Structures are given as structure tokens and as C-alpha cells.
Amino acid sequence: MWDNNSNLKKRAKEAFVRQQDQSDCGVACLLSVINFLGGTSKLERLRELSGTSKQGTTLLGLYQSADKVGLKAEAYEADLENLKKQTDPCILHIVKDERLQHYIIFYGIKDGQFIISDPAEGVKLVSPKEIEKLWKSKALLLLKPGEDFTTVDEKKKYQWQWIKQLTKEDLNILSLALVLGIFVSVLSLATAIFSQKLIDEILPGEDTLKLFVGLGLLAFLLFAKSGLSYVRQLFLIRQSRDFNNRIINTFYSSLLKLPVPFFFNRKTGDLIARMNDTRRLQRTITYIFSEVMIDVLLIIVASVFIMTYSINLGFFVLLSVPLFFLLTWQYNEPILKGQQDVMKAHSANESNYVDTIQGIATIKTGNREPFFSKITKKIYGFFQDQIFDLGKVGIKFTFWADIISAFYMVGVLGISSMLVLQDELLVGALVAIFQMSSQLIPSANRLALTNIRLQEARVAFDRMYEFTSLEPEYNKKPEIKNKLENDKVESIHVSDLSFRFPGRSPLLKDISFAVEKGEMIALLGESGCGKTTMLQILQRFYEPESGSLKINENIGWGELSVKSWRNHLASVPQDIKIFSGTLLDNICLGDVQEEDVEQVIEFCKEYGFSKYFEEFPQQYATILGEEGTNISGGQQQLVALARALYQEPDLLLLDEATSAMDRETEQGMLQMLMESKKEMGIILVTHRIKSVKLADRIYILNEGKITEQGSPQELATGQNLFSRSLEELSV
Ligand SMILES: Nc1ncnc2c1ncn2[C@@H]1O[C@H](COP(=O)(O)OP(=O)(O)OP(=O)(O)O)[C@@H](O)[C@H]1O
């Protein structure tokens, strides 16, 4: 037991996360516990994993999200005596002020008092009596680190490996750029040295020959500097291009491997903003690898050079450099916070653009342009305010950096002038020292800003890494062998399948149904009863909570990889996506080769699509999507149906796939499907009773369960949704 553990309260305080609003108390508790155990996560992610809504989080939602972040969670009902004995943090479900549902954390006991972390108030000691009063439900969630729990240190290690992997190919080119940079910096000191020789030796000696030789040498060095600088810049932009290509490709391809719900729950604008953030990463990497060394060298070389004229002056120069670092240290926090705020506001702004442009028709029909303009103005205004605030911090920083530079330049000039007056320094040397000092200041300034640059890149990197570190759906079970490689799916049997969205009550309960090749079955049910979700589970977008699915009666679902399973099915969803490209591209969804053209045209003729597609302005070459012709909802469904059938699936999932078609087209397509089903099994989800009537079997879903099943003839005589809809149809 943690009795009298004085360190515990301190650790609890360090780990404390304050709730942002009342609905957040559960996830704030969870994040505090994660911090306490040495891990790391984000409120946003926990909110999503736990299904936190405006009403808050259920204990079940917390349990499920804890499991997903690698914690071992156990839910109990306990009493005060059991609680006292706990040696791991526990989230308690309490009722505050007799009405408010709330979560708090119990960490342990100190001097007979309970160490409690309340996300609304902070860490405090509470008497057993008070706990008894608050903790009426006696429900607690015990949390321990599980096998998959990643600590901050481990995360850093993975991040470092990721960065190393990404920059491995750049090291050669960056090293070359570095070497060239060193030459360029040393050569840029040539002017200063020549000025000194000119003023102190050549001009007083009136030696014209020496003057021309000197000028020639200077010209040569300056030309060499320009040439080397040119080559170095070329190297750097090449590295920048290659690095950006590499990082975006890596980021984007790992993004596409993430499970579908990830995209359902994210704003497109936020993803785009994060991709744009990669440039910050590239700039910092280039700077760290190629310029930091140059700045360090320039400061050392210039200081040593100044020391050769005057030791004291050299020390003065060297000692002034830390002042820039001191200043940066002072401004580190506000600049970092400002950068984070700007990045967040940038994401929100991009998301708003995507949202409003995608919803333009709804906005216009409702004459809501003024409202959305106002919202956009506000969001953009907020984004600009964040840039402004960061700019203000930047200006203040620059102001103080200028003051330090002025102090430094006056100091250098003052000391060297005194040395000239005391005949310890020649005027030419003074000019050279002044020139070198002027070159040294920007280097010292840049060097001092390294930490801020690093932090900025770290924020951008963290935002990217958050996504790239998520588990891709394909890799979940890499050892799986594809048992179905050359075989076709002849039948599927779903048994006792249950499913719920994180933190929500069960949506599908013990669902069982079957479909065989040559059959069309229909799922019928009220809106929101889970039909679309069932089809999404079949596509393996979501994992069911329990139940099984057998393919061809003997292959378990888990014995197939997600990828190979999807090779056997095709779907027409409710929301159809038409991609930018020709009609042909949209049907093939891949590299269209010359031989495919004939094949697609033949396929469309055979399946009865050609009479619709030949009416398109350029027939199969008609450009569709964002940059092309807009097509009607019914035409979009025709394209999507052709796309699905062209894949020759064994299982076809149709979710309101003909709802926007005219009666005649719909009848034609249903007829075609009735003929095609000999090659596949079809699952139809529709509210259209005329289509349902064509099914071989109907499954009626009600309140998450299949309440009735049978052929249309069998169900028509009973009392159910199908028979009632039939009656309405005949009225
Ligand atoms: N990603 C999600 N997270 C949480 N709840 C969700 C999510 N997607 C859907 N739901 C909820 O699940 C329920 C079932 O949705 P689903 O789309 O499966 O219904 P449906 O039967 O297909 O409805 P319709 O006939 O209107 O198409 C709905 O209440 C919906 O709000």
C-alpha cells in the first residue's frame, strides 16, 4: 500500500491534466494516468477512442480506450476498504453536488487521506468520509501498463529511428554542402583581410603592383566563393526536393494504410495542414546538418582571427555570443507556444475551407453564404491573430537581439578604436575586425535560434508522427496465409455477430445471416439501425466485438488477410466518390492500359451500361470529377455499379445503390443484377420495397437484432416491416 507516500502526490501533480470542459473529465483522467505511468497521448485521440460525446464518456468508453493505448484496464465494483488497498491508479465514477456525473483519479493514501486528482480542480487530499459521499456508484477502473504501453522514452527512440531512416539518403549530399559551406565562409573573410592589407600596407606604401596583385587575388577568391556557393545551393535544393518527396510519400502511403474509421473521424483540412508542416521539418534538417557547423566555424574562425590582432578583443567577441543564447532561452517558451497555436489555427482554417467548399450547394440553397462568410472570417481572423501574436513575440525578440548587436558593435568599435589610439592596432585591422564582427552577428543569432527551430520541427514532426505511428490495418496479422488465394467465395455465414462504436451502446446484437453465390439477400430496417455499419464490417472497416464469419463454410474470417478478403468483394456505398479522371479511369480505378479500353467497352455493353455511358459528352473519355463534367446522382450510381461489377467480385454489397436512378433505369439495373448473381452473392440494403421483393431472402433488423427472416413470400403474410411496407405500397 502507498501509505504516507509523500512522493506520490507530487507525481500525481506533475501528471495532472485539466479538463477542457465538463464532458472531458473522463479522458482528462485517463491522460493524467497515462502521464503518471510515463506514457504519452493526446486528449483529442483519447476523446476519439473513447467515443466521448457532448454528454461525456462512459466507463466502458474509458475501458476500451485504455485498452487501445496499451493500458491493462479492469473494471470493478468496490468499497472504500478495497480501494485503500489498490496500488495502481484507479478512475472512480462519482456524483458531484448530488447531480453531476464526474470522474476522478485515486492514486493512494497519505496520512489517512485519499490522494485524489480531480480534472476540474487539481490534486488534493480528501477524507474517507467525503469519498464515501461522492463515490456512490462504487464503480472503478483500475489501470496498469500493459504489454503494448509505450513510454515517452520508447516513443523518442522510435521517432529517432524514423528520422534516421528518412535522412539516411541525405547524409552524403548534406556533408558535401557542409564542406562547400565551410569554404564559402572562410572565403567570405577574404574581403576583411584584404581591407586590412589595403589600408595598412598597400596604400601607405603606394605600391601599385601589390595593389593589382591583391585585387586580382581578391577577385579570384570572391569568384571562387560565388562558384562554390552556387554549387552548394544546387546541392541544398536538390536535397530539399528529394527529402520532401520522400517524406510526403512515406507519410501519405502510411496514411493510406490506416483503417477507414481513422478517416471517418478526421477533418480533411487537418490532414492537409499536417502534410504542409513537413516543410518545416525539411528546413530544420537542412539547417542542422548543413549550416549549424558553418555558423559555429565562422564564429570560431572570426574570433581566433580577431584574437590575432588583440587577445582582449577576441575574448570580448567570444563572450558576447552567449548573450544571444540567453535571449533565445528567455523567448523559447512563448515562441514555441505561438508556433503550436499557429499550426493548430492553420489546421482549423484549412478544415473550414474544405467543409464550406464541399457543402456549397447546401449553403447556397439555404442562403447561408453570409453566415458561413462570418464563420470563415472568424476562423481566418483567429488564424491571423495567432500569426500576429507570434509575430509580436518575434519582433520583441528581434528588438532585443538588435540591442545586443548594437551593444556588441559599439563595444567592438570602442575597444578597437582605443587600441588604435594607443597604437596597439592599425586602422586597417580595425576595419577588418569591424567587417568580421558584422559577419559574426548573424551567425551567432542563427545559432541561438537553433533550439527554437528544433522545437518547431519537433511540433511538426509530432503532428505527423502521431499518424504514421498508428497501426496500419494490413499489418495487423502479417503471418496470415491467404487460404483462399485461387478459390472463389461460394458462401458466407455470419453467426452471432455483435458490434458497437467506441463508448456507445451495442448497435448490432447477435446478428446471423448467410449468402451464397447465386443469391441476393436484402437487409431491411429503419434508418440508423445499423445496415450500413453491417456492410462496413463485412468490408472489414470495423472489427466486430464478437461473433464469427465463415467463408465457404470452412475458412474463418481471421484466416484471411484484410487485403486478400477485399479482393473478393466490391461495394457501392451510399456516398459515391467520382475521382478526377475519365469515365474509363473511374470504372477501372487503376492504370488504364490500351487493352483495357476495349475490355471496359465490351463489359459495359454486356451489362447494359453502354446506352447510358455513350450519352456522356465524350463517351468513355469524358472527364469526370472535380475538374470535369458534373454528372447526376443516378449517373454516379451507374458509374459506381459498373466500377463494382468490373472487379468481378464474389460478393457484391449494395447500399441504396439505385436510389437516385429513374424507375426505368433502376428496373433495368435490378434485372441485370438478377442475371449477374449467378456469378456472385449480393447483399442489398435498401428502403425500396420493390427492390427488396426481388431478394431470395430478407433479414429484418430491429433494435440491433434480426427479428425476422425468410423469403419475400413468407414474410409478406406475417406482421413485419416488409409486410407493412408492401401494404402501404398497394394503397
Ligand atoms: N463512426 C461512427 N461513430 C459512432 N456512431 C456511428 C458512426 N457511424 C455511424 N454511427 C451510428 O450508428 C448508427 C447506425 O448507422 P448506419 O449508418 O449503420 O445506419 P443505417 O441502418 O444504414 O441507416 P440508413 O438506413 O439511414 O442508411 C447510427 O445511429 C449512427 O449515428
Side-chain angles (χ1 to χ4, degrees):
M1 204 164 75
W2 285 338
D3 209 358
N4 292 326
N5 190 344
S6 56
N7 201 20
L8 199 60
K9 193 172 169 209
K10 192 169 153 245
R11 282 178 55 207
K13 273 188 177 170
E14 282 164 5
F16 177 72
V17 175
R18 191 170 289 280
Q19 66 188 48
Q20 289 178 357
D21 61 52
Q22 265 177 22
S23 66
D24 264 351
C25 61
V27 279
C29 281
L30 190 55
L31 187 54
S32 300
V33 174
I34 293 173
N35 290 343
F36 181 83
L37 297 172
T40 169
S41 191
K42 295 246 159 66
L43 269 185
E44 191 193 333
R45 176 160 154 73
L46 296 178
R47 243 184 245 135
E48 184 189 308
L49 291 177
S50 60
T52 300
S53 66
K54 284 179 189 145
Q55 279 74 43
T57 324
T58 58
L59 204 60
L60 176 72
L62 289 179
Y63 175 87
Q64 288 172 332
S65 50
D67 183 55
K68 285 183 188 133
V69 294
L71 289 173
K72 206 168 142 223
E74 288 162 28
Y76 294 116
E77 253 186 44
D79 59 22
L80 224 53
E81 284 313 307
N82 300 133
L83 187 63
K84 279 184 192 166
K85 289 182 194 138
Q86 295 309 325
T87 52
D88 294 296
C90 305
I91 296 182
L92 310 185
H93 173 252
I94 61 160
V95 179
K96 248 181 156 178
D97 306 328
E98 307 282 326
R99 59 187 176 83
L100 189 68
Q101 309 258 349
H102 192 57
Y103 292 105
I104 54 173
I105 313 164
F106 164 75
Y107 281 108
I109 304 282
K110 185 173 188 288
D111 304 329
Q113 304 270 78
F114 287 64
I115 305 175
I116 292 295
S117 171
D118 182 334
E121 294 172 24
V123 177
K124 55 185 183 177
L125 293 176
V126 178
S127 70
K129 226 176 176 181
E130 204 170 332
I131 289 285
E132 185 101 62
K133 205 172 115 202
L134 291 170
W135 189 38
K136 291 226 168 68
S137 70
K138 304 285 178 237
L140 69 79
L141 193 66
L142 184 74
L143 297 163
K144 296 176 192 178
E147 275 177 19
D148 297 334
F149 187 68
T150 318
T151 61
V152 180
D153 291 342
E154 282 164 345
K155 189 179 158 201
K156 274 190 190 149
K157 202 175 93 194
Y158 296 140
Q159 286 185 340
W160 180 235
Q161 279 168 353
W162 198 69
I163 274 279
K164 249 173 44 187
Q165 192 64 26
L166 273 177
T167 49
K168 213 166 68 188
E169 290 174 38
D170 290 314
L171 286 181
N172 284 348
I173 198 161
L174 286 174
S175 314
L176 270 175
L178 174 67
V179 173
L180 289 175
I182 294 170
F183 279 116
V184 171
S185 319
V186 172
L187 287 177
S188 55
L189 299 177
T191 329
I193 299 167
F194 181 72
S195 311
Q196 186 257 321
K197 295 278 175 227
L198 186 74
I199 297 169
D200 293 341
E201 292 173 27
I202 303 170
L203 292 181
E206 294 179 9
D207 187 341
T208 326
L209 181 68
K210 239 184 179 174
L211 175 66
F212 283 117
V213 171
L215 278 175
L217 190 65
L218 181 67
F220 172 75
L221 291 179
L222 291 182
F223 288 150
K225 182 193 139 199
S226 305
L228 291 179
S229 191
Y230 174 82
V231 177
R232 178 171 177 267
Q233 293 297 330
L234 271 184
F235 281 168
L236 287 179
I237 59 168
R238 217 181 90 187
Q239 181 272 336
S240 154
R241 180 197 63 187
D242 294 349
F243 180 84
N244 283 335
N245 278 336
R246 204 174 322 123
I247 193 162
I248 284 293
N249 288 342
T250 316
F251 183 52
Y252 198 67
S253 52
S254 32
L255 210 60
L256 290 190
K257 284 182 194 146
L258 293 178
V260 180
F262 169 87
F263 298 92
F264 286 171
N265 297 328
R266 288 251 164 21
K267 291 183 174 171
T268 320
D270 182 41
L271 293 178
I272 297 172
R274 287 181 196 226
M275 282 199 235
N276 290 338
D277 283 348
T278 55
R279 277 193 302 242
R280 295 170 196 266
L281 202 59
Q282 181 273 322
R283 279 202 303 265
T284 308
I285 286 179
T286 314
Y287 174 72
I288 301 293
F289 283 88
S290 75
E291 288 179 34
V292 166
M293 283 287 277
I294 296 174
D295 284 335
V296 172
L297 271 173
L298 206 131
I299 292 173
I300 295 174
V301 171
S303 309
V304 169
F305 195 81
I306 293 171
M307 271 183 202
T308 60
Y309 292 111
S310 156
I311 292 272
N312 290 344
L313 200 55
F315 275 118
F316 175 78
V317 169
L318 263 186
L319 290 178
S320 306
V321 173
L323 285 180
F324 288 101
F325 283 88
L326 206 66
L327 179 69
T328 316
W329 180 68
Q330 280 284 323
Y331 277 83
N332 208 354
E333 272 296 304
I335 291 182
L336 189 62
K337 187 178 171 302
Q339 280 165 344
Q340 276 170 341
D341 291 345
V342 167
M343 284 190 219
K344 267 195 217 145
H346 178 213
S347 289
N349 187 53
E350 296 270 314
S351 299
N352 178 54
Y353 285 154
V354 174
D355 240 18
T356 43
I357 290 168
Q358 281 179 348
I360 192 69
T362 317
I363 294 173
K364 282 199 175 287
T365 319
N367 279 331
R368 290 292 188 271
E369 291 97 323
F371 172 72
F372 281 92
S373 296
K374 201 170 93 189
I375 295 271
T376 304
K377 207 168 134 188
K378 215 165 143 187
I379 295 177
Y380 190 73
F382 180 71
F383 172 41
Q384 287 304 315
D385 283 347
Q386 302 306 308
I387 295 178
F388 178 75
D389 288 347
L390 179 62
K392 272 200 313 202
V393 179
I395 292 173
K396 263 196 212 160
F397 175 85
T398 315
F399 171 77
W400 286 111
D402 283 349
I403 297 281
I404 297 177
S405 306
F407 156 78
Y408 164 81
M409 287 311 283
V410 170
V412 169
L413 260 185
I415 299 174
S416 41
S417 304
M418 289 301 287
L419 291 174
V420 172
L421 289 178
Q422 289 161 11
D423 284 338
E424 284 179 33
L425 197 70
L426 294 170
V427 179
L430 180 142
V431 173
I433 288 169
F434 189 70
Q435 280 186 359
M436 279 185 194
S437 304
S438 316
Q439 279 177 356
L440 192 144
I441 287 176
S443 288
N445 219 334
R446 257 199 313 271
L447 211 54
L449 284 172
T450 308
N451 188 31
I452 289 178
R453 273 178 177 256
L454 271 178
Q455 304 268 21
E456 183 194 21
R458 212 192 72 198
V459 176
F461 176 73
D462 274 350
R463 281 162 58 88
M464 273 183 73
Y465 187 77
E466 199 185 322
F467 291 169
T468 44
S469 59
L470 295 176
E471 190 173 14
E473 57 177 355
Y474 296 155
N475 289 2
K476 272 192 176 159
K477 286 171 186 152
E479 77 282 4
I480 288 176
K481 286 226 172 63
N482 184 8
K483 278 201 168 182
L484 203 67
E485 199 132 17
N486 298 315
D487 293 340
K488 294 215 161 236
V489 174
E490 300 288 335
S491 69
I492 62 160
H493 286 83
V494 174
S495 312
D496 301 323
L497 183 144
S498 299
F499 173 79
R500 70 172 97 209
F501 284 106
R504 306 280 161 92
S505 50
L507 178 64
L508 300 168
K509 300 169 206 160
D510 299 325
I511 302 284
S512 300
F513 64 87
V515 60
E516 291 184 7
K517 183 172 157 182
E519 277 187 338
M520 176 157 86
I521 63 158
L523 299 182
L524 191 66
E526 308 283 353
S527 287
C529 70
K531 304 179 296 294
T532 301
T533 310
M534 186 63 235
L535 296 192
Q536 288 174 334
I537 294 174
L538 287 177
Q539 291 165 77
R540 297 191 66 173
F541 293 170
Y542 298 109
E543 290 287 327
E545 205 170 70
S546 60
S548 70
L549 188 143
K550 282 255 183 271
I551 300 151
N552 299 348
E553 296 192 4
N554 58 0
I555 304 173
W557 206 5
E559 295 172 64
L560 284 188
S561 71
V562 174
K563 210 170 176 175
S564 60
W565 167 239
R566 287 191 191 145
N567 278 337
H568 292 275
L569 55 91
S571 125
V572 178
Q574 277 185 31
D575 297 321
I576 289 161
K577 172 71 193 163
I578 299 294
F579 294 92
S580 289
T582 62
L583 170 58
L584 209 70
D585 295 330
N586 266 285
I587 295 173
C588 295
L589 273 199
D591 258 350
V592 182
Q593 306 296 329
E594 228 168 88
E595 59 271 20
D596 297 329
V597 181
E598 276 308 305
Q599 206 176 318
V600 172
I601 295 175
E602 207 43 51
F603 157 83
C604 288
K605 266 194 199 136
E606 194 187 328
Y607 283 80
F609 291 108
S610 52
K611 77 171 182 192
Y612 304 103
F613 295 159
E614 279 164 13
E615 278 175 17
F616 282 26
Q618 278 85 36
Q619 303 194 337
Y620 292 91
T622 310
I623 308 269
L624 308 178
E626 285 196 351
E627 287 162 19
T629 318
N630 266 333
I631 54 172
S632 71
Q635 287 171 326
Q636 288 189 14
Q637 289 186 332
L638 284 167
V639 176
L641 198 54
R643 181 192 286 165
L645 285 167
Y646 187 66
Q647 292 173 43
E648 300 180 354
D650 297 340
L651 182 65
L652 180 65
L653 310 173
L654 303 174
D655 193 354
E656 296 291 357
T658 56
S659 59
M661 294 179 190
D662 63 74
R663 208 183 60 82
E664 203 181 315
T665 310
E666 186 180 28
Q667 287 307 315
M669 284 299 123
L670 287 169
Q671 201 50 48
M672 177 272 290
L673 287 170
M674 295 303 285
E675 283 163 29
S676 315
K677 73 177 185 183
K678 56 180 183 290
E679 297 297 330
M680 65 191 85
I682 301 178
I683 303 180
L684 186 71
V685 164
T686 177
H687 291 289
R688 295 221 188 172
I689 291 304
K690 277 195 172 171
S691 314
V692 179
K693 267 167 76 181
L694 297 173
D696 295 291
R697 232 177 3 271
I698 305 170
Y699 294 88
I700 299 179
L701 266 163
N702 190 15
E703 294 185 355
K705 291 193 164 165
I706 290 186
T707 48
E708 250 114 352
Q709 66 181 73
S711 67
Q713 294 75 17
E714 285 164 355
L715 290 184
T717 52
Q719 268 302 318
N720 52 58
L721 182 64
F722 178 65
S723 61
R724 282 197 301 278
S725 309
L726 269 183
E727 274 166 31
E728 280 164 25
L729 205 65
S730 55
V731 174

